[in-house]
Amino acid sequence: MTNRNTTFHILLAAQFALIAVSMLVNVKTGLFSMVLILLLTTVCLIQLSNGKSTEWKRGQNIMTWLFIVWLLYYIMEIMNPNCVLEAWNINITPYALIPLICAFVVPVVIRTRKDIELLLLVWSVFVIIFTLKGYWQKNHGFSTKDLYFLHVLGGARTHIIWSGIRYFSCFSDAANYGVHSAMAAVTFSISAFFIDSKWKRIYFLFIALCGIYGMGISGTRSAMGVLMGGMLMITIIAKNWKALLGGIFISIGIFVFFYYTNIGSGNQYIHKMRSSFHPTEDASYLVRVENRQRMKELMARKPIGYGIGLAKAGNFDSKEQMPYPPDSWLIAVWVETGIVGLILYLAIHGTLFAWCSWLLMFKVRNKNLRGLAAAWLCMNAGLFIAAYVNDVMQYPNQLTVYTGFALCLAAPYIDKHISEEPEENEDPEEIEKQEPHLIKEPNE
């Protein structure tokens, strides 16, 4: 592995490490994240500039240009009459810098399938840590720091509720933990079927189970959207009728289980998940619908929004404040950037999903590589479904999501590398199935 690969993998690990460290001490993740990302990205770019084989053209892709447009709109938001510069500064990293850095750096740095596998291995270590912390909270109780969050900061209001206790592991809240766990479950369960090593396959399936466990104890209903969205997406990308039928069958089975039966409702976690399939019977959902109607009236005179970072009233001293909570990420984008910003945001991500899907389906021939990249894209699809009902784009999910998009853009280059050097990158039996002319008999 080259230094530039090492630096980028350290960058990913550092983001998760900040969450793990928060078990012990209070960490201002926004500030430390920004410093780490900028520092390690600078080091990575310096290393890339010193490499003769660096292909900078890979970084000049559709994702880079799309997020340059988004960055320009973000900068324009400074002129918003309601703008609070402190809030604008805090949010520039997750809103604009992380997507742009991933778009440019990932396709340049990630050059082989093994690099993608290593990203998964780095992430998996922290999934285990997060799961162990969640398990400890459930079976051995909360730490002093956890109790401070619950009873001093008011977390108990949303985490100790009628359906039981919602566990949050190392994360800022149970919703963030549950969604991140679902993201891991989708990514690792799909990746497990596209790994050559039997032991890695078993390990990845174990990590997926850890994700499902974390999702369950978090009591986060929006996490179901991540799972359902991920499964439906893989049936599209797989280009395989068996995968299509299997995905449809599993999706219908899950829907029927939760919607039409009461099996397992005695379990608080199954009961909580089942309620997500009956939203009109949920009082909190009805309140959200009512709030959004009231927001719509206020947003009619705010085409560029209330200002970056001002979706939640009371966090900053602004001239005007939205009196209703945004309750989801996409609603927060709408409130902060207006209908203009929301349309641009959705157009950018819609274009990314379409382009990445097209690349994986028609430009990547290697089955295992396509599957590994598709796992990240399926995770993203599920996340954006959940983004409509919950604030899922919290730290550290942004880096994971935009790394996933960028890996899809890197995949055609990796595929080309595999086809040019098959003897070093592929199992001979797999090559013979895909490209019989590349295999020669020993006596030829």
Side-chain angles (χ1 to χ4, degrees):
M1 176 180 289
T2 61
N3 289 334
R4 57 179 172 264
N5 295 126
T6 304
T7 302
F8 185 79
H9 287 82
I10 290 174
L11 170 61
L12 183 68
Q15 304 309 302
F16 294 128
L18 285 178
I19 296 293
V21 169
S22 68
M23 285 190 294
L24 306 174
V25 295
N26 289 322
V27 179
K28 293 183 178 180
T29 53
L31 176 63
F32 282 101
S33 171
M34 181 176 68
V35 172
L36 281 171
I37 287 173
L38 293 179
L39 177 62
L40 292 173
T41 301
T42 301
V43 172
C44 189
L45 290 174
I46 291 173
Q47 291 170 342
L48 286 169
S49 64
N50 292 330
K52 295 181 180 179
S53 61
T54 300
E55 297 180 39
W56 293 105
K57 186 178 179 181
R58 296 185 180 190
Q60 300 169 28
N61 53 62
I62 187 172
M63 183 176 172
T64 301
W65 297 118
L66 285 172
F67 280 106
I68 286 176
V69 173
W70 178 248
L71 177 62
L72 293 175
Y73 184 81
Y74 190 93
I75 293 172
M76 189 202 73
E77 276 285 340
I78 294 179
M79 296 184 290
N80 190 319
N82 203 42
C83 177
V84 175
L85 199 57
E86 181 186 358
W88 189 94
N89 288 333
I90 290 173
N91 285 277
I92 191 171
T93 301
Y95 247 119
L97 291 185
I98 289 178
L100 196 53
I101 288 170
C102 289
F104 187 83
V105 174
V106 171
V108 177
V109 171
I110 304 301
R111 299 186 177 185
T112 68
R113 204 176 68 204
K114 297 298 181 184
D115 291 339
I116 300 176
E117 291 180 16
L118 186 55
L119 285 176
L120 290 168
L121 290 173
V122 169
W123 185 10
S124 71
V125 172
F126 291 97
V127 173
I128 292 174
I129 293 173
F130 303 150
T131 304
L132 289 174
K133 173 62 176 177
Y135 172 84
W136 188 268
Q137 284 179 337
K138 184 178 185 303
N139 294 278
H140 299 280
F142 294 106
S143 67
T144 303
K145 184 175 177 297
D146 297 335
L147 292 172
Y148 181 84
F149 163 72
L150 290 171
H151 299 297
V152 178
L153 299 181
R157 185 174 58 86
T158 54
H159 289 75
I160 302 177
I161 56 177
W162 60 270
S163 61
I165 300 175
R166 300 176 63 207
Y167 299 97
F168 49 91
S169 185
C170 316
F171 289 76
S172 58
D173 56 59
N176 194 12
Y177 174 46
V179 166
H180 189 86
S181 296
M183 291 166 65
V186 169
T187 309
F188 284 94
S189 60
I190 295 173
S191 298
F193 294 96
F194 299 97
I195 294 292
D196 292 332
S197 168
K198 180 182 73 172
W199 295 111
K200 282 184 184 178
R201 183 176 298 115
I202 294 172
Y203 176 67
F204 280 10
L205 289 174
F206 168 72
I207 299 299
L209 289 175
C210 288
I212 292 173
Y213 175 80
M215 186 189 82
I217 65 173
S218 74
T220 303
R221 290 172 292 188
S222 56
M224 288 298 298
V226 180
L227 287 183
M228 296 294 288
M231 285 190 295
L232 290 174
M233 189 70 178
I234 193 61
T235 62
I236 297 172
I237 300 176
K239 291 201 311 180
N240 184 303
W241 68 269
K242 292 182 180 179
L244 176 63
L245 293 177
I248 292 174
F249 178 77
I250 292 172
S251 299
I252 292 175
I254 291 175
F255 178 79
V256 169
F257 174 80
F258 282 104
Y259 191 84
Y260 289 105
T261 77
N262 292 314
I263 299 172
S265 288
N267 181 286
Q268 67 184 64
Y269 304 113
I270 294 178
H271 180 72
K272 183 76 172 177
M273 294 299 174
R274 179 165 281 123
S275 67
S276 64
F277 289 82
H278 301 273
T280 56
E281 299 175 10
D282 182 53
S284 64
Y285 172 79
L286 297 177
V287 171
R288 291 183 183 190
V289 172
E290 186 177 344
N291 283 344
R292 288 175 186 178
Q293 288 299 320
R294 293 172 178 173
M295 286 180 181
K296 190 175 181 180
E297 296 174 6
L298 295 174
M299 291 302 298
R301 56 186 178 84
K302 294 283 185 181
I304 60 171
Y306 277 77
I308 301 295
L310 304 179
K312 296 179 181 179
N315 289 349
F316 298 94
D317 187 18
S318 57
K319 296 176 183 177
E320 295 182 84
Q321 294 184 342
M322 167 59 73
Y324 309 108
D327 72 50
S328 81
W329 170 246
L330 292 180
I331 297 298
V333 173
W334 175 43
V335 171
E336 293 183 356
T337 66
I339 189 64
V340 176
L342 179 62
I343 290 173
L344 179 60
Y345 186 85
L346 293 176
I348 286 172
H349 288 85
T351 302
L352 273 179
F353 274 114
W355 186 256
C356 291
S357 299
W358 183 79
L359 287 177
L360 294 181
M361 293 174 69
F362 302 108
K363 292 296 182 180
V364 179
R365 295 181 300 169
N366 184 272
K367 182 181 68 174
N368 288 348
L369 172 62
R370 183 169 63 244
L372 286 176
W376 293 76
L377 188 62
C378 292
M379 170 196 71
N380 288 0
L383 182 83
F384 275 90
I385 290 175
Y388 179 69
V389 295
N390 214 324
D391 186 7
V392 297
M393 199 65 78
Q394 297 186 55
Y395 185 85
N397 294 343
Q398 300 100 335
L399 187 64
T400 313
V401 166
Y402 292 109
T403 295
F405 281 126
L407 286 175
C408 295
L409 300 180
Y413 296 104
I414 300 173
D415 184 68
K416 182 180 178 182
H417 175 68
I418 290 174
S419 63
E420 289 175 350
E421 300 181 6
E423 69 281 356
E424 296 181 9
N425 295 280
E426 287 293 338
D427 179 68
E429 293 182 3
E430 184 64 29
I431 299 170
E432 189 171 13
K433 292 177 184 178
Q434 298 183 30
E435 300 289 343
H437 67 276
L438 295 176
I439 303 297
K440 295 183 179 181
E441 294 298 328
N443 60 352
E444 289 184 350

